[in-house]
Amino acid sequence: MRRLRMGLIGGGPGAFIGPIHRIAAELDREIELVAGVFSSDAVRSRLGGESYRIDPERAYADVATMLYAERGRDDGIDFVTIASPNAHHLPAARLSLEAGVAVMSDKPATATLNEARELAAIIGNTRQPYRLSYTYSGYPLVREARSLISAGRIGAVRKVVVEYAQGWLAGAAMGKQAEWRVNPAQAGEGGAIADIGVHAFHLAEFVTGLRTTQLLADLASVVPGRTLDDDCQILLRFDNGARGVLLASQIMIGERNGLRLRVYGDKGGIDWSQEQPNRLTLHHADGRTELIQAADASLSGDAKWASRTPGGHPEGYLEAFANLYRDFARVLRGESGSLIPGIEDGLRGMALIHLSVHASRERAGWINFEV
Amino acid sequence: MRRLRMGLIGGGPGAFIGPIHRIAAELDREIELVAGVFSSDAVRSRLGGESYRIDPERAYADVATMLYAERGRDDGIDFVTIASPNAHHLPAARLSLEAGVAVMSDKPATATLNEARELAAIIGNTRQPYRLSYTYSGYPLVREARSLISAGRIGAVRKVVVEYAQGWLAGAAMGKQAEWRVNPAQAGEGGAIADIGVHAFHLAEFVTGLRTTQLLADLASVVPGRTLDDDCQILLRFDNGARGVLLASQIMIGERNGLRLRVYGDKGGIDWSQEQPNRLTLHHADGRTELIQAADASLSGDAKWASRTPGGHPEGYLEAFANLYRDFARVLRGESGSLIPGIEDGLRGMALIHLSVHASRERAGWINFEV
Amino acid sequence: MRRLRMGLIGGGPGAFIGPIHRIAAELDREIELVAGVFSSDAVRSRLGGESYRIDPERAYADVATMLYAERGRDDGIDFVTIASPNAHHLPAARLSLEAGVAVMSDKPATATLNEARELAAIIGNTRQPYRLSYTYSGYPLVREARSLISAGRIGAVRKVVVEYAQGWLAGAAMGKQAEWRVNPAQAGEGGAIADIGVHAFHLAEFVTGLRTTQLLADLASVVPGRTLDDDCQILLRFDNGARGVLLASQIMIGERNGLRLRVYGDKGGIDWSQEQPNRLTLHHADGRTELIQAADASLSGDAKWASRTPGGHPEGYLEAFANLYRDFARVLRGESGSLIPGIEDGLRGMALIHLSVHASRERAGWINFEV
Amino acid sequence: MRRLRMGLIGGGPGAFIGPIHRIAAELDREIELVAGVFSSDAVRSRLGGESYRIDPERAYADVATMLYAERGRDDGIDFVTIASPNAHHLPAARLSLEAGVAVMSDKPATATLNEARELAAIIGNTRQPYRLSYTYSGYPLVREARSLISAGRIGAVRKVVVEYAQGWLAGAAMGKQAEWRVNPAQAGEGGAIADIGVHAFHLAEFVTGLRTTQLLADLASVVPGRTLDDDCQILLRFDNGARGVLLASQIMIGERNGLRLRVYGDKGGIDWSQEQPNRLTLHHADGRTELIQAADASLSGDAKWASRTPGGHPEGYLEAFANLYRDFARVLRGESGSLIPGIEDGLRGMALIHLSVHASRERAGWINFEV
């Protein structure tokens, strides 16, 4: 079975996420990076291509050119990965999908909710595969938590606490990665809510299987001069009546990438932290506390499928990301079983951003969560 | 210098908090339990007295009798500790204060905010010492956190996250301790908010030195049939503009006594958890992470004063509680330096309960925090 | 039932362990400190007595005087606690036991193995209660570990790793506490091995129920100019054939009081650390990991008996120590069930010191462990 | 710059380490797996090749054939990776080196010390690059620890405690991975000492920069019927006089891959655990405790070079392994700066195995460590 061929959009010199996508995509040898638009500047795109060691001719300066040129090759790309700032997501996805090329996109889906709706329509029309890199849903023990809850191991979910604590934007934004994220022209409607809030939101819905029905948002721009939000406090209601809290902040100095999910049902609870991803705490109603570890024999099929090493050999962020690409490959190959999120989750994330930003600005209190 | 003499109100057979008060009060030999009203039932009060090994004659069946009898003794009590359910706080405090006897009271101050106002007036009139056992403010590293913030080590506070997670009331309330807490006639206006929310609230204000100015409360009774709240999600604003979240829940199965405080300023952050009380994480703006440990040479005077053992010999809840009694003894002896909270904090706690319960019920959105 | 009356030997101004004994002894109100020889200097002993708030007349300057005077009182002491440097243990114990007064002694039992044998003879002759404060055996979860192993939960023990890591003597000994410990005239034959190695040794035997039959010792004086050992590496064999390692060091900079015990059998394993004493990890042969917490409903009777607070309210070193005094009170009252160690354990500890020091000096290889 | 081409020896169906090598080698796109001898059975080797998605023609059934065939291609392999059981290391390395092909080999270098000496001679004669996958030396914070110690941050090293705790061989060996490791014909002289002890040993020497001069070994076969060791306790002396302990065991039930290194000097100490590889504790002599985290701005060049993600995005075992391959690529490209171990470390590891096994069998006491 041949390796699927990937074209990367974004991820040029200085980018963090481009090389991450490349590593994740190729980790299991199901996918190969062969082309890309690493920059809109032709010279920089060539340099980007060199850094990835791809054929220099396949480092393009715009998406349309790449799509056209690759279509003409026997070994042309099977899909594009969009890893550019949010404002570029929709145009790049549109071109690709309409050219009959599948899309793996960074979250959030687009820069605005309206764009996401437009994208959803394009996907509907083109019927091309489109998936989103909600990376944290790729961790084995996240999938185990999902399996446990789905199997009723903690009973009916009552309470969800999800937090995503970072501190790297606690001061003035410095460097390419920081700058575009605080710039509405590039990032879109949301700051922290769009950058990390949507991850937390997706994780909560992914693991619990619940859907948010109402929210109350309290967002702020804490750093002086910042226009987009950098600190988010959101209360939630889910479709089964469960209650929740979502915290997302980029001004909590000292926090690296503190994504943590706790879910409590009427028979137990689970607790997982991204910075120690190979452990999952399972609380039982009778007071017992179980520590589930990656690669444990007791794990569900979904969690086992997502592991590559024996117990005690830590897997991390790149491997979780790679699991999304393995999922994506299953999608492209027409296989079943993929857990990678798609446009529905993308729309929900964009709705979260849009609703939170507006409701918070207007101090609107509880509002319905509608996509 | 003679030991101060204590009369305990409450804490009879089956009570958790009575023996805790006794141990804490006597730990440093500054105070001695000599009398008590351990039950309103004379026989049970005698049994309670026996369990504490006090003079059987000094185990009374009502507060007035104790106050009268003790006044007649050369070695009569110097103060009472009120450790009965909330509804008994005001009457017991009133009798004691008006009899010229100082009061150490369990939190919350009273059953309702109005009662607390009444109590404040009595304290004003009688000019007797009155203090409250917000136990967690007695931990050495909580006091260290307070010192660090007060000294500007994390800069201006921007964000407070305080949570108090328990799971023991996730099912039907069973046993004396659980039953009175879910019964409005005994507990007053609040459930979890009154039992643990006020601890979290006090801790946040104590450590940061800030005062809450606004809140938005979302309380619920999750367990079927429960009338008082058992799960609280509250958003906060502080007087310097800082933002915050307070979570308090008794339905998070598997959580024991998960009180955790995180505070972030524009120059750093602190992180402390009650279940590992001898460690305090200090985040620096330059990315360094420091682990401060109990009895470290670098500790402030307040934290050192609150420790009894060398580093690595864990002190816990009882020692933190004992620090409040040492503080209280300083108050009674007319010494300075005490950090134990008093009626002002009591009023703030009662306002938190009252405002949260009512605002939540009415889905009132943001309201001003006024005592 | 009246409180037992305690006379404290040692623990005067500047001492660490004296106040600890006082707190521990009195914590449960079964015992009361009423007299003491806090110093051999009469004035300093008086000052010591004041710091404990005892009757000034009962602060004596020598043990014989105390024993004589207390015998003459209706409310005289029931027992002495010996908390002076090791060299004073034997004379103080002899006087007390021969005066018909029970003894609670700090570990190690004496300064030398020969002294311990002498002491054992005295105990045999006088038939007075004598017990030793191997403090760490008082922790609830240590007793739980013992119960689990005794109940066969980890199968036949195969491997024991016990370590006691400290760093406070990594430089020149400064202060009263440090100075006597590095002085052979006060400490006896052993340095770190006598100060902390015996704790680790007792813990291992206490929890496993095994007895050491052979050892291979590698002790050193790492700090220049030190005559007693400050770093110990010891290999062990137990009477069931199990293997073990005991590490004890006071030169591991940054370590506070890092006593940790791991025991592995053919069906599971346990892991406990003194600095986080309220957690015990239980490994199962099928790969499951259980986190046992203090006050869990599942705990054995021994562990429950040793707890005072509900789950999540940390108990620490002082409470563990208090459990030894509760045990000791049971002994004095003729009750059963006590787990506090006595002279047999004292002799074993002294043999450990003696054999380790000599075997290491002579690079003797494996030797038999004989008392 | 073209990708280096790798031929894999071993790692066929059922193998754990083969796919690990493939992922690690390719992670940074500097190397590509193009050929292999995945099994000595031609059909199984083909199946292995398919699982790696390589050209079916390049899945060979023996090493000599691969070397010959690849030499004839323009795009032939640049090096082989030897990932077969220990007994195959020497013959495979010999053939490759003598064919002018560089070698990356799994540890331990060979099955016996004599073989290792033979291998060293071959390497000397052929002057081909030969390196060893002591994987754990690839972790960023291991390299940071090395830098800190090398820079004198903990002063002169006094004490090393290194342990490698596993439990997966606590019962009868089941499955391909377990079976060859307990079979002397495949594993060579050592069991646990060869499988994991050498890792611990290399880590200690790598991080401290010290060399072992003496050891005292106590190895055993704990599981009934096992001939090779499965539990090792070793005392060490280093060339600067520092003392150490090395524990390696595969019968500690519940332990996954518990490699931990602690090093203490006269000015500080470090503590690192493989299962939480992104944290490094640094103890200072003044009592401060610093928590160093992966990707911290303060890290040394060596540690930064070894990281791919921002702080808080955990990297794990595969990324550490990939760092060795990046090192190896530097070697092959003639670049400087590589920290990957070579035959000298291989010889030291084999000497550890040989000396430990024999000294333990003969209860030899302290012996000199000589290669």
Side-chain angles (χ1 to χ4, degrees):
Chain A
M1 205 159 44
R2 74 168 178 84
R3 294 172 75 179
L4 296 164
R5 292 183 290 266
M6 160 181 171
L8 178 58
I9 299 171
F16 145 58
I17 201 70
I20 299 289
H21 272 286
R22 200 278 304 155
I23 293 173
E26 296 194 337
L27 198 83
D28 296 300
R29 266 219 162 193
E30 301 208 34
I31 292 168
E32 188 174 17
L33 175 67
V34 297
V37 180
F38 305 107
S39 170
S40 56
D41 175 290
V43 174
R44 288 177 60 80
S45 190
R46 280 269 179 148
L47 287 171
E50 263 177 42
S51 76
Y52 293 105
R53 298 173 191 272
I54 66 165
D55 180 348
E57 295 189 1
R58 296 173 85 174
Y60 307 92
D62 67 276
V63 176
T65 304
M66 173 171 74
L67 293 166
Y68 182 80
E70 291 290 319
R71 177 182 290 181
R73 302 177 65 109
D74 285 346
D75 62 350
I77 57 176
D78 295 299
F79 73 93
V80 297
T81 283
I82 302 176
S84 45
N86 307 345
H88 304 279
H89 289 190
L90 176 60
R94 185 205 310 272
L95 284 171
S96 304
L97 294 167
E98 293 184 344
V101 171
V103 170
M104 169 72 121
S105 172
D106 260 1
K107 44 48 59 188
T110 53
T112 67
L113 177 57
N114 278 339
E115 283 186 7
R117 289 178 180 138
E118 201 177 330
L119 176 57
I122 296 165
I123 294 167
N125 293 335
T126 61
R127 306 183 68 84
Q128 285 298 314
Y130 170 92
R131 292 296 186 278
L132 270 165
S133 61
Y134 281 116
T135 323
Y136 305 103
S137 62
Y139 274 109
L141 292 188
V142 164
R143 295 186 170 192
E144 180 66 11
R146 182 176 174 277
S147 289
L148 291 169
I149 290 175
S150 165
R153 293 289 296 279
I154 66 167
V157 171
R158 289 168 159 184
K159 172 91 180 183
V160 177
V161 182
V162 62
E163 61 180 69
Y164 202 143
Q166 293 187 335
W168 68 299
L169 294 179
M174 300 208 293
K176 182 174 172 180
Q177 291 311 307
E179 285 163 13
W180 78 253
R181 279 176 170 81
V182 301
N183 178 358
Q186 302 237 36
E189 295 179 281
I193 188 71
D195 196 32
I196 57 176
V198 294
H199 273 304
F201 182 77
H202 179 260
L203 191 71
E205 293 200 341
F206 178 78
V207 168
T208 61
L210 301 179
R211 290 296 169 263
T212 303
T213 54
Q214 288 191 302
L215 64 77
L216 186 157
D218 178 27
L219 275 52
S221 304
V222 169
V223 173
R226 188 162 291 165
T227 49
L228 294 175
D229 63 282
D230 52 18
D231 185 64
C232 315
Q233 319 184 137
I234 300 178
L235 307 181
L236 302 169
R237 285 289 184 285
F238 295 94
D239 52 1
N240 75 337
R243 297 154 50 76
V245 179
L246 185 159
L247 304 180
S249 178
Q250 296 182 311
I251 57 109
M252 291 163 79
I253 289 183
E255 301 297 341
R256 268 69 174 173
N257 202 35
L259 175 60
R260 181 184 181 193
L261 175 68
R262 288 174 281 175
V263 183
Y264 302 89
D266 56 9
K267 292 186 187 158
I270 64 98
D271 190 346
W272 179 83
S273 287
Q274 191 268 157
E275 296 195 11
Q276 298 197 1
N278 297 297
R279 299 193 163 195
L280 172 68
T281 303
L282 175 60
H283 299 291
H284 296 282
D286 62 5
R288 282 178 307 116
T289 309
E290 218 174 315
L291 193 60
I292 296 173
Q293 300 187 54
D296 273 5
S298 67
L299 294 188
S300 65
D302 283 344
K304 280 184 176 155
W305 178 86
S307 295
R308 290 162 192 82
T309 57
H313 297 71
E315 296 190 51
Y317 176 81
L318 294 171
E319 291 82 5
F321 212 152
N323 288 332
L324 290 197
Y325 272 102
R326 290 175 75 191
D327 272 332
F328 189 58
R330 296 211 278 198
V331 171
L332 295 192
R333 298 191 200 280
E335 298 164 14
S336 65
S338 162
L339 292 176
I340 189 173
I343 188 61
E344 301 74 20
D345 302 279
L347 279 165
R348 295 185 69 77
M350 294 313 300
L352 174 77
I353 298 168
H354 181 79
L355 294 171
S356 296
V357 168
H358 288 274
S360 180
R361 196 173 294 153
E362 297 152 18
R363 306 198 78 167
W366 286 97
I367 59 171
N368 288 334
F369 185 90
E370 284 164 354
V371 178
Chain B
M1 205 160 43
R2 74 170 177 83
R3 294 173 75 178
L4 297 164
R5 292 182 291 266
M6 161 180 171
L8 178 59
I9 298 171
F16 146 58
I17 201 70
I20 299 289
H21 272 286
R22 201 276 306 155
I23 292 173
E26 296 194 335
L27 198 83
D28 296 300
R29 266 222 163 191
E30 300 207 36
I31 293 167
E32 188 174 17
L33 175 67
V34 297
V37 179
F38 305 106
S39 170
S40 58
D41 175 290
V43 174
R44 288 177 58 82
S45 189
R46 280 271 177 146
L47 287 171
E50 262 177 42
S51 76
Y52 293 107
R53 297 174 192 273
I54 66 165
D55 180 349
E57 294 189 1
R58 296 173 86 174
Y60 306 93
D62 67 277
V63 177
T65 303
M66 174 172 73
L67 292 166
Y68 182 81
E70 290 291 319
R71 177 182 290 180
R73 300 178 65 111
D74 284 347
D75 62 352
I77 57 175
D78 294 300
F79 72 94
V80 297
T81 283
I82 302 175
S84 45
N86 307 345
H88 305 278
H89 289 191
L90 176 61
R94 185 205 310 274
L95 283 171
S96 303
L97 294 167
E98 292 184 345
V101 172
V103 169
M104 169 73 121
S105 174
D106 261 1
K107 45 47 60 186
T110 54
T112 66
L113 176 57
N114 278 338
E115 282 187 8
R117 290 178 180 138
E118 200 177 331
L119 176 58
I122 296 166
I123 294 167
N125 294 334
T126 61
R127 306 184 67 85
Q128 285 298 316
Y130 169 93
R131 293 297 185 279
L132 270 164
S133 60
Y134 280 116
T135 322
Y136 305 103
S137 62
Y139 274 108
L141 292 188
V142 164
R143 295 185 172 192
E144 181 65 12
R146 183 177 173 274
S147 290
L148 290 169
I149 290 175
S150 165
R153 293 289 296 280
I154 66 165
V157 171
R158 290 169 159 184
K159 173 89 178 183
V160 178
V161 182
V162 63
E163 61 180 71
Y164 202 141
Q166 293 187 335
W168 68 298
L169 295 178
M174 302 209 292
K176 183 175 171 178
Q177 291 309 308
E179 286 163 12
W180 79 254
R181 280 176 170 81
V182 302
N183 177 357
Q186 302 237 35
E189 295 179 281
I193 188 70
D195 196 31
I196 58 175
V198 294
H199 274 303
F201 182 77
H202 179 261
L203 191 71
E205 293 200 341
F206 178 79
V207 168
T208 62
L210 301 179
R211 290 296 168 263
T212 303
T213 54
Q214 288 190 302
L215 64 77
L216 187 156
D218 178 28
L219 275 53
S221 303
V222 170
V223 174
R226 189 161 290 164
T227 50
L228 294 175
D229 63 281
D230 52 19
D231 184 64
C232 315
Q233 318 184 135
I234 300 177
L235 307 181
L236 302 170
R237 286 288 184 285
F238 295 94
D239 52 2
N240 75 337
R243 298 153 50 76
V245 179
L246 185 160
L247 304 180
S249 178
Q250 297 183 310
I251 57 109
M252 290 163 80
I253 288 184
E255 303 297 340
R256 268 68 175 174
N257 201 34
L259 175 61
R260 181 184 182 193
L261 175 68
R262 287 174 282 175
V263 183
Y264 302 89
D266 56 10
K267 292 185 187 158
I270 63 100
D271 190 346
W272 179 83
S273 287
Q274 193 269 157
E275 295 194 11
Q276 297 198 4
N278 297 297
R279 299 193 162 193
L280 172 69
T281 303
L282 176 60
H283 299 291
H284 296 282
D286 63 5
R288 283 179 306 116
T289 309
E290 218 175 315
L291 193 61
I292 296 173
Q293 299 186 54
D296 273 4
S298 67
L299 294 187
S300 66
D302 283 345
K304 281 183 175 155
W305 178 86
S307 294
R308 290 162 193 81
T309 57
H313 297 71
E315 296 192 50
Y317 177 80
L318 293 170
E319 291 82 5
F321 211 152
N323 288 333
L324 290 196
Y325 271 102
R326 290 175 75 190
D327 272 331
F328 190 57
R330 296 212 278 199
V331 171
L332 295 191
R333 297 191 201 281
E335 299 164 13
S336 65
S338 162
L339 292 175
I340 187 173
I343 188 61
E344 301 74 20
D345 302 279
L347 279 164
R348 295 186 70 77
M350 295 312 302
L352 174 76
I353 299 167
H354 182 79
L355 294 171
S356 296
V357 168
H358 288 275
S360 180
R361 195 173 296 153
E362 296 152 18
R363 306 198 78 168
W366 285 96
I367 59 171
N368 289 333
F369 185 89
E370 284 164 354
V371 178
Chain C
M1 204 160 44
R2 74 170 178 83
R3 293 172 75 178
L4 297 164
R5 290 183 292 265
M6 162 180 171
L8 178 59
I9 299 171
F16 145 59
I17 202 70
I20 298 290
H21 271 286
R22 201 277 303 154
I23 292 173
E26 296 194 337
L27 199 83
D28 295 300
R29 262 217 167 196
E30 301 207 33
I31 293 167
E32 187 174 18
L33 175 68
V34 298
V37 180
F38 305 106
S39 170
S40 58
D41 174 291
V43 173
R44 287 178 59 82
S45 190
R46 280 270 178 146
L47 287 171
E50 264 177 38
S51 76
Y52 293 105
R53 299 174 191 271
I54 65 165
D55 180 347
E57 294 189 2
R58 298 172 86 173
Y60 306 93
D62 68 276
V63 176
T65 304
M66 174 172 73
L67 292 166
Y68 182 80
E70 291 290 318
R71 177 183 289 179
R73 302 177 63 111
D74 285 347
D75 61 352
I77 56 175
D78 295 300
F79 72 94
V80 297
T81 284
I82 301 176
S84 45
N86 307 345
H88 304 279
H89 289 191
L90 176 61
R94 184 206 309 274
L95 283 171
S96 303
L97 294 167
E98 293 183 345
V101 171
V103 169
M104 168 73 120
S105 174
D106 261 1
K107 44 48 60 187
T110 54
T112 66
L113 176 57
N114 278 338
E115 282 186 8
R117 290 177 179 137
E118 201 177 330
L119 176 57
I122 297 166
I123 294 166
N125 293 335
T126 61
R127 306 184 67 85
Q128 286 297 316
Y130 169 92
R131 293 296 185 278
L132 270 165
S133 60
Y134 281 115
T135 322
Y136 305 103
S137 62
Y139 274 108
L141 293 188
V142 164
R143 295 186 171 192
E144 181 65 12
R146 183 178 174 275
S147 289
L148 290 169
I149 291 174
S150 165
R153 292 289 296 278
I154 66 166
V157 171
R158 290 169 159 183
K159 173 90 179 183
V160 177
V161 182
V162 63
E163 61 180 69
Y164 203 141
Q166 294 187 335
W168 70 297
L169 295 178
M174 301 209 292
K176 183 175 172 180
Q177 290 310 308
E179 285 163 12
W180 79 252
R181 280 175 170 82
V182 301
N183 178 358
Q186 302 238 33
E189 295 178 280
I193 188 70
D195 196 31
I196 58 176
V198 293
H199 274 303
F201 182 77
H202 179 260
L203 191 70
E205 293 200 341
F206 178 78
V207 168
T208 62
L210 301 178
R211 290 295 169 264
T212 303
T213 54
Q214 289 191 301
L215 63 78
L216 187 155
D218 178 26
L219 276 52
S221 304
V222 170
V223 173
R226 189 162 289 164
T227 49
L228 293 175
D229 64 282
D230 51 19
D231 184 64
C232 315
Q233 318 183 138
I234 300 177
L235 307 180
L236 302 170
R237 285 290 183 286
F238 295 94
D239 51 2
N240 74 337
R243 298 154 49 77
V245 179
L246 185 159
L247 304 180
S249 178
Q250 297 183 309
I251 57 110
M252 291 163 79
I253 288 184
E255 302 297 340
R256 268 68 176 175
N257 201 35
L259 175 60
R260 180 183 182 193
L261 175 68
R262 287 174 281 175
V263 183
Y264 302 89
D266 57 10
K267 293 186 188 158
I270 63 100
D271 190 347
W272 179 83
S273 287
Q274 194 268 155
E275 296 195 11
Q276 297 198 2
N278 297 297
R279 299 190 164 197
L280 172 69
T281 302
L282 175 60
H283 299 291
H284 295 282
D286 62 6
R288 283 178 307 114
T289 309
E290 217 174 316
L291 193 61
I292 296 173
Q293 299 187 53
D296 273 5
S298 67
L299 294 187
S300 65
D302 283 346
K304 281 183 175 155
W305 178 85
S307 295
R308 290 162 192 82
T309 56
H313 297 72
E315 295 191 52
Y317 177 80
L318 293 170
E319 290 82 4
F321 211 153
N323 288 333
L324 290 197
Y325 271 101
R326 290 174 76 189
D327 272 331
F328 189 58
R330 297 211 278 198
V331 172
L332 295 192
R333 298 191 201 281
E335 299 164 11
S336 65
S338 162
L339 292 175
I340 189 172
I343 188 62
E344 302 73 19
D345 302 278
L347 278 165
R348 295 185 71 76
M350 294 312 301
L352 174 77
I353 299 167
H354 182 79
L355 294 171
S356 296
V357 168
H358 289 274
S360 179
R361 196 174 294 153
E362 295 152 20
R363 307 199 77 167
W366 285 96
I367 58 170
N368 289 334
F369 185 90
E370 284 164 353
V371 178
Chain D
M1 204 159 44
R2 74 169 178 84
R3 294 172 76 178
L4 297 163
R5 293 184 289 266
M6 161 182 171
L8 178 58
I9 300 170
F16 145 58
I17 202 69
I20 299 289
H21 271 286
R22 201 277 304 156
I23 292 173
E26 296 194 337
L27 199 82
D28 296 301
R29 263 217 166 194
E30 301 207 34
I31 293 167
E32 188 174 17
L33 175 68
V34 297
V37 180
F38 306 107
S39 170
S40 57
D41 175 290
V43 173
R44 288 177 60 81
S45 190
R46 281 268 177 147
L47 287 172
E50 263 177 42
S51 77
Y52 293 106
R53 297 174 192 274
I54 66 165
D55 180 348
E57 295 188 2
R58 297 172 84 174
Y60 307 92
D62 67 277
V63 176
T65 303
M66 174 171 73
L67 292 166
Y68 182 80
E70 291 289 319
R71 177 182 289 181
R73 300 177 65 111
D74 284 347
D75 62 351
I77 57 175
D78 295 299
F79 73 93
V80 298
T81 284
I82 302 175
S84 45
N86 307 344
H88 304 279
H89 289 192
L90 176 60
R94 185 205 309 272
L95 283 171
S96 303
L97 293 167
E98 293 184 343
V101 172
V103 169
M104 168 74 120
S105 173
D106 260 1
K107 43 51 57 189
T110 53
T112 66
L113 176 58
N114 277 337
E115 282 186 6
R117 290 179 181 136
E118 201 178 330
L119 176 57
I122 297 165
I123 294 167
N125 293 334
T126 61
R127 306 182 69 84
Q128 285 298 316
Y130 169 92
R131 293 296 185 278
L132 270 164
S133 61
Y134 280 116
T135 323
Y136 305 103
S137 63
Y139 274 108
L141 293 187
V142 164
R143 295 186 170 192
E144 180 67 12
R146 184 177 173 275
S147 290
L148 291 169
I149 290 174
S150 165
R153 294 288 296 280
I154 67 166
V157 171
R158 290 169 160 184
K159 174 90 179 183
V160 178
V161 182
V162 63
E163 60 180 69
Y164 203 142
Q166 294 186 335
W168 68 298
L169 295 178
M174 300 209 293
K176 182 174 172 180
Q177 291 309 308
E179 284 163 14
W180 79 253
R181 280 174 170 82
V182 301
N183 178 358
Q186 303 238 32
E189 294 180 281
I193 188 69
D195 195 32
I196 58 175
V198 293
H199 273 304
F201 182 76
H202 179 260
L203 191 71
E205 293 200 340
F206 178 78
V207 168
T208 62
L210 301 178
R211 290 296 167 265
T212 303
T213 54
Q214 287 191 303
L215 63 77
L216 187 157
D218 178 27
L219 275 53
S221 304
V222 171
V223 174
R226 188 162 291 165
T227 49
L228 294 175
D229 64 281
D230 52 19
D231 185 64
C232 315
Q233 320 185 134
I234 300 177
L235 307 180
L236 302 169
R237 286 290 185 283
F238 296 94
D239 51 2
N240 75 337
R243 297 153 50 76
V245 179
L246 185 159
L247 304 180
S249 178
Q250 298 183 308
I251 57 109
M252 290 163 80
I253 288 184
E255 303 297 341
R256 267 70 174 174
N257 201 34
L259 175 61
R260 180 183 182 193
L261 175 68
R262 287 175 281 175
V263 183
Y264 302 89
D266 57 9
K267 292 185 186 158
I270 63 99
D271 190 346
W272 178 82
S273 286
Q274 192 269 155
E275 296 195 11
Q276 298 198 1
N278 297 297
R279 300 191 162 195
L280 172 68
T281 302
L282 175 60
H283 298 291
H284 296 282
D286 62 5
R288 283 179 306 116
T289 309
E290 217 173 316
L291 193 61
I292 296 173
Q293 299 186 53
D296 274 4
S298 66
L299 294 187
S300 66
D302 282 346
K304 281 183 174 155
W305 178 85
S307 295
R308 290 162 193 82
T309 57
H313 297 71
E315 295 191 50
Y317 177 80
L318 293 171
E319 291 82 4
F321 211 152
N323 289 332
L324 290 197
Y325 272 101
R326 290 174 75 191
D327 273 332
F328 189 58
R330 297 211 281 199
V331 171
L332 295 191
R333 298 190 200 280
E335 298 164 13
S336 65
S338 162
L339 293 174
I340 188 172
I343 187 61
E344 302 73 17
D345 302 279
L347 279 165
R348 295 186 70 76
M350 294 313 301
L352 174 76
I353 298 167
H354 182 79
L355 295 171
S356 296
V357 168
H358 288 274
S360 179
R361 196 173 294 153
E362 296 152 18
R363 307 198 78 167
W366 285 96
I367 59 170
N368 289 333
F369 185 89
E370 284 163 353
V371 178

